[in-house]
Amino acid sequence: MRNNVYLLIIYNLLLFFNAKTQVIGTDNSDIRIFPSNNDQSEVHLSINKTNHLNLIVSANTKIGTTKTQGYYFTNDGGITWNGSDNMPNNQEGKADPSTAFDASGRAYISTLPSAYDGYLLQYSDDNCLTWSNSIRGVQLTHNISGGQDKEMIVCVDQMQTSPFVNNFYCSWTDFDDGSKVKINRSTNGGASFDNNITLSSRWGQGTNVQTGPDGEIYVCWADYINNEYPAKNIGFSYSNDGGINYSSSTAFAFNGIRESGGSNSKFGDTKINDYPSMAVDKSCGIHRGRIYIVYPELENSTSQKSVIRIKYSDDNGSSWSVASTINISDGRQNWFPWISIDDLTGLVTVIYYSLDQATGFSTNTYVAYSIDGLSWENIKISDQAHTTAPIDGYSYGYAGDYIGITSFAGSAYGAWMDNRNGIWQIYISKINFNTSPLTSSQSNLVINNPTNINGNMIYQAYQNIIVSDNNNVTIKNTANVEMVAGESIILKNGFKSEYNSTFNAKIESISPCTTPGAIYLKNNNSNWFTNLNVIKEENEGVKLFAYPNPSYDYITIGALNKKYKSINISISNINGKIIANFDKPNVSEDHIRQIIDLSNYSNGSYIATVLLDGKKYTIKFNKL
């Protein structure tokens, strides 16, 4: 064991950074990620938040007449791709791809086997270069008319501060048991799986499982009443104890678009569905913890037009907002929505197909995006339209059941299938957004779980970290663990690190953030983080601070509070002209703070004057 403890005297700073008020998306060229002569469809993708240049994609494939599943990956941010139209190591795979990364960067792919009697998964610990053989996540008895459908996986959000970090969850529909929605979990990286839990009492399909910033688990699905099309409700389930217990309910009613289990003439004689997609805001912004559900719906009770709508909940799904329609206004039909939220910026992105011509089945792919869930912009990301049509060799008008999007670090990657080259293939387009990172503080962190820490992990808290408060915690052999706190790190009885593990404990001034991937970008010299400096000055015993400095959008000016009777903060340009005055800054027991919106300030240098009991103290800052 190698233990290094660094002690620094710092000020107790609370940091807030806000996104730019106007978000602009810039689309890049489409990339056909794995050109082949095999049909590819029904795509799901994820981004590695310990290495944002690493993405994993999986899709249904058809090699000759054999239906299987492929995997594709990039380690340069989507410029070049590798993989296969078969599963890694030529393992079994039949349908319904799903992907995920955990907090340590382990990649997962799930699939349904040929017998549809459960689900299988594989994992990679080296940025998708090599993979394990198949692990059976659940073994079920399959009747000839039933089977399992639409398994969807997630790992606890790469949220290292979650008490359930790296738990693995999978939900699916069990056609052999009344088409009910079920879920199970693994708490040890797939070595074993807990018993299945039933979430619905009737037919539910198109499940989607997500987690929140504190390890909450949410599952949603299309709810079919009396076993009839279309779906009438969004089913919903919630757990706050790591998946031991769930509370299920109807989230809200909606007018589904699915008319049958077969083709629909309004969509080029292809099979469509009314499945929802869900994402949870784990950014450090004001909407942290917000749940979004996006779904296709008939525009009104008499319309035959499908629109893309979204609702959100700020109370763990107990109540939901009014629906917003987010697709382009001239989209004749809009379907297959999928949603993602950038954990660093809080930007919400939704991909969907649209018939954007007055007639025919010419189809383009669009992304709607929003920073607040209320106002939305759309950008066309497909460089070339394709014609919606059934894929040869499949039944019921099949043309895939979903498309996908993932986002992180100011970029989103939209993936879909189209036949512009005469064969159905997966295309990806990267969209860059002019957004800024959102960071906030976690004051104190108590680490009791997991009991065994593996891989590369970083824990941080603005004030204190306490390890093994009431539970044994072990840093396992070869693990690399860092803990960073502003005031103290307390290792209690029950904590130990095994031989060949690396453990670093640091007391230092940090930009605290408890959202996945923020520390990775900071440690890898991202441009976002190199400028998030805290400037501190001591003037005649008065300790002033300004952060971030320089700043793009917002800056916080303040001082340590010594119970001053009169307080004022003003901003002057470099020539001494006062341009802003704040006579009622926020005053707490420890600090005086004023958060200042710089969006209307010109780039350059400014002077902040803090007037304390009639005495002036100044600190300089820069606007970029």
Side-chain angles (χ1 to χ4, degrees):
M1 179 183 74
R2 300 181 292 279
N3 293 335
N4 302 293
V5 179
Y6 304 92
L7 300 178
L8 301 176
I9 300 175
I10 67 162
Y11 302 140
N12 213 8
L13 301 180
L14 177 63
L15 306 186
F16 293 90
F17 301 102
N18 294 274
K20 294 180 185 291
T21 54
Q22 183 180 9
V23 178
I24 299 173
T26 303
D27 183 42
N28 293 273
S29 298
D30 299 350
I31 295 177
R32 185 181 178 187
I33 65 171
F34 196 79
S36 74
N37 293 320
N38 305 313
D39 288 316
Q40 303 162 357
S41 62
E42 196 162 308
V43 58
H44 192 272
L45 73 164
S46 298
I47 191 168
N48 182 353
K49 291 165 190 173
T50 71
N51 173 9
H52 68 296
L53 300 179
N54 176 217
L55 289 88
I56 177 68
V57 175
S58 189
N60 286 350
T61 57
K62 183 168 64 67
I63 303 174
T65 59
T66 301
K67 297 171 182 130
T68 182
Q69 188 173 314
Y71 80 105
Y72 320 99
F73 65 94
T74 178
N75 279 301
D76 57 15
I79 299 172
T80 59
W81 292 81
N82 292 285
S84 170
D85 281 338
N86 284 304
M87 290 289 281
N89 306 330
N90 287 317
Q91 296 291 285
E92 183 181 10
K94 182 62 180 280
D96 296 352
S98 182
T99 62
F101 284 95
D102 73 9
S104 300
R106 170 176 281 190
Y108 290 90
I109 305 175
S110 71
T111 184
L112 295 180
S114 298
Y116 299 106
D117 58 349
Y119 70 88
L120 305 173
L121 64 102
Q122 294 178 249
Y123 66 83
S124 170
D125 288 322
D126 57 5
N127 296 325
C128 306
L129 296 175
T130 62
W131 291 81
S132 72
N133 288 330
S134 291
I135 300 168
R136 181 167 281 277
V138 64
Q139 175 75 60
L140 297 168
T141 301
H142 170 36
N143 299 322
I144 191 67
S145 60
Q148 318 312 311
D149 184 67
K150 292 290 174 289
E151 94 295 344
M152 184 60 58
I153 64 173
V154 70
C155 301
V156 173
D157 305 305
Q158 307 91 13
M159 186 64 74
Q160 294 178 340
T161 55
S162 166
F164 316 112
V165 61
N166 287 341
N167 277 11
F168 175 98
Y169 305 96
C170 182
S171 60
W172 68 92
T173 297
D174 189 347
F175 286 138
D176 288 323
D177 185 18
S179 302
K180 297 174 182 176
V181 173
K182 297 186 177 180
I183 193 168
N184 72 350
R185 70 172 188 171
S186 172
T187 61
N188 52 19
S192 62
F193 293 83
D194 291 353
N195 292 333
N196 306 331
I197 296 175
T198 298
L199 303 181
S200 68
S201 60
R202 57 176 176 251
W203 177 18
Q205 200 170 356
T207 69
N208 192 287
V209 56
Q210 299 293 329
T211 53
D214 296 315
E216 313 94 324
I217 307 163
Y218 304 105
V219 188
C220 71
W221 58 89
D223 180 20
Y224 298 91
I225 299 175
N226 298 324
N227 292 329
E228 295 177 351
Y229 301 106
K232 294 293 194 300
N233 301 310
I234 298 295
F236 184 80
S237 196
Y238 164 56
S239 172
N240 62 3
D241 59 7
I244 298 173
N245 298 285
Y246 287 87
S247 175
S248 294
S249 62
T250 295
F252 51 84
F254 81 115
N255 298 313
I257 67 170
R258 187 180 182 187
E259 298 177 353
S260 71
S263 61
N264 187 314
S265 61
K266 296 189 294 293
F267 296 83
D269 290 324
T270 63
K271 183 180 74 168
I272 60 167
N273 61 62
D274 38 25
Y275 303 154
S277 178
M278 178 171 55
V280 182
D281 189 339
K282 292 185 281 292
S283 77
C284 296
I286 60 174
H287 301 307
R288 181 178 173 90
R290 173 176 285 182
I291 312 163
Y292 291 88
I293 293 180
V294 64
Y295 52 96
E297 181 175 39
L298 293 180
E299 189 172 35
N300 54 58
S301 59
T302 60
S303 173
Q304 294 299 303
K305 176 181 177 179
S306 172
V307 296
I308 307 300
R309 287 190 170 137
I310 194 166
K311 288 190 176 189
Y312 61 79
S313 172
D314 291 322
D315 55 11
N316 303 112
S318 296
S319 61
W320 294 85
S321 70
V322 174
S324 296
T325 301
I326 64 175
N327 55 266
I328 58 172
S329 59
D330 55 353
R332 197 171 82 253
Q333 298 290 354
N334 310 275
W335 74 107
F336 282 0
W338 205 268
I339 187 171
S340 177
I341 298 178
D342 187 334
D343 289 333
L344 282 184
T345 70
L347 186 72
V348 187
T349 51
V350 177
I351 192 173
Y352 62 95
Y353 278 150
S354 182
L355 299 181
D356 55 0
Q357 303 299 309
T359 60
F361 298 103
S362 176
T363 305
N364 273 299
T365 307
Y366 288 82
V367 167
Y369 60 91
S370 172
I371 199 64
D372 58 9
L374 298 174
S375 58
W376 292 82
E377 300 290 337
N378 277 270
I379 182 172
K380 184 173 72 171
I381 66 169
S382 52
D383 297 341
Q384 183 176 333
H386 74 277
T387 300
T388 289
I391 302 176
D392 290 342
Y394 289 89
S395 57
Y396 306 111
Y398 172 86
D401 280 334
Y402 44 86
I403 56 179
I405 192 167
T406 190
S407 58
F408 186 63
S411 296
Y413 295 83
W416 69 97
M417 52 275 181
D418 77 36
N419 60 353
R420 69 180 71 175
N421 289 312
I423 189 168
W424 290 90
Q425 296 272 272
I426 301 302
Y427 291 84
I428 279 184
S429 189
K430 181 180 180 182
I431 312 104
N432 298 321
F433 296 96
N434 64 328
T435 47
S436 300
L438 298 156
T439 66
S440 68
S441 168
Q442 170 148 336
S443 296
N444 297 290
L445 174 62
V446 178
I447 304 173
N448 286 313
N449 292 292
T451 55
N452 294 315
I453 301 176
N454 295 285
N456 299 317
M457 301 291 288
I458 301 177
Y459 300 89
Q460 63 173 358
Y462 160 61
Q463 292 178 322
N464 306 298
I465 294 177
I466 301 174
V467 188
S468 292
D469 189 40
N470 59 20
N471 201 14
N472 294 339
V473 174
T474 300
I475 299 176
K476 301 298 288 183
N477 186 32
T478 73
N480 185 358
V481 175
E482 181 177 283
M483 297 180 187
V484 186
E487 294 182 357
S488 69
I489 298 175
I490 301 172
L491 308 177
K492 291 196 170 185
N493 291 336
F495 169 78
K496 67 178 180 178
S497 55
E498 294 183 346
Y499 180 74
N500 281 338
S501 66
T502 300
F503 171 60
N504 294 302
K506 298 180 181 179
I507 307 298
E508 67 178 24
S509 177
I510 60 173
S511 299
C513 184
T514 58
T515 192
I519 301 174
Y520 168 79
L521 287 183
K522 177 183 176 183
N523 291 344
N524 285 272
N525 298 316
S526 163
N527 290 333
W528 279 356
F529 286 87
T530 55
N531 290 319
L532 301 187
N533 299 318
V534 178
I535 302 300
K536 297 173 288 186
E537 294 182 4
E538 186 166 344
N539 190 335
E540 298 182 10
V542 175
K543 296 176 180 178
L544 306 175
F545 52 81
Y547 58 86
N549 190 1
S551 174
Y552 291 95
D553 299 309
Y554 289 79
I555 192 166
T556 297
I557 304 293
L560 297 189
N561 188 13
K562 293 185 178 180
K563 312 304 179 186
Y564 299 101
K565 295 180 180 179
S566 63
I567 302 168
N568 177 271
I569 296 176
S570 62
I571 306 299
S572 305
N573 62 23
I574 202 67
N575 296 319
K577 180 181 178 181
I578 295 177
I579 57 177
N581 190 70
F582 307 93
D583 58 5
K584 293 183 179 180
N586 179 268
V587 179
S588 67
E589 183 176 350
D590 299 319
H591 295 88
I592 300 160
R593 287 193 186 88
Q594 181 65 50
I595 300 175
I596 302 167
D597 184 353
L598 300 179
S599 58
N600 292 322
Y601 285 47
S602 300
N603 293 351
S605 298
Y606 295 86
I607 297 171
T609 299
V610 182
L611 186 65
L612 303 173
D613 287 347
K615 196 165 184 177
K616 294 182 179 180
Y617 306 90
T618 62
I619 187 168
K620 183 179 177 181
F621 67 90
N622 292 295
K623 162 71 188 319
L624 298 178

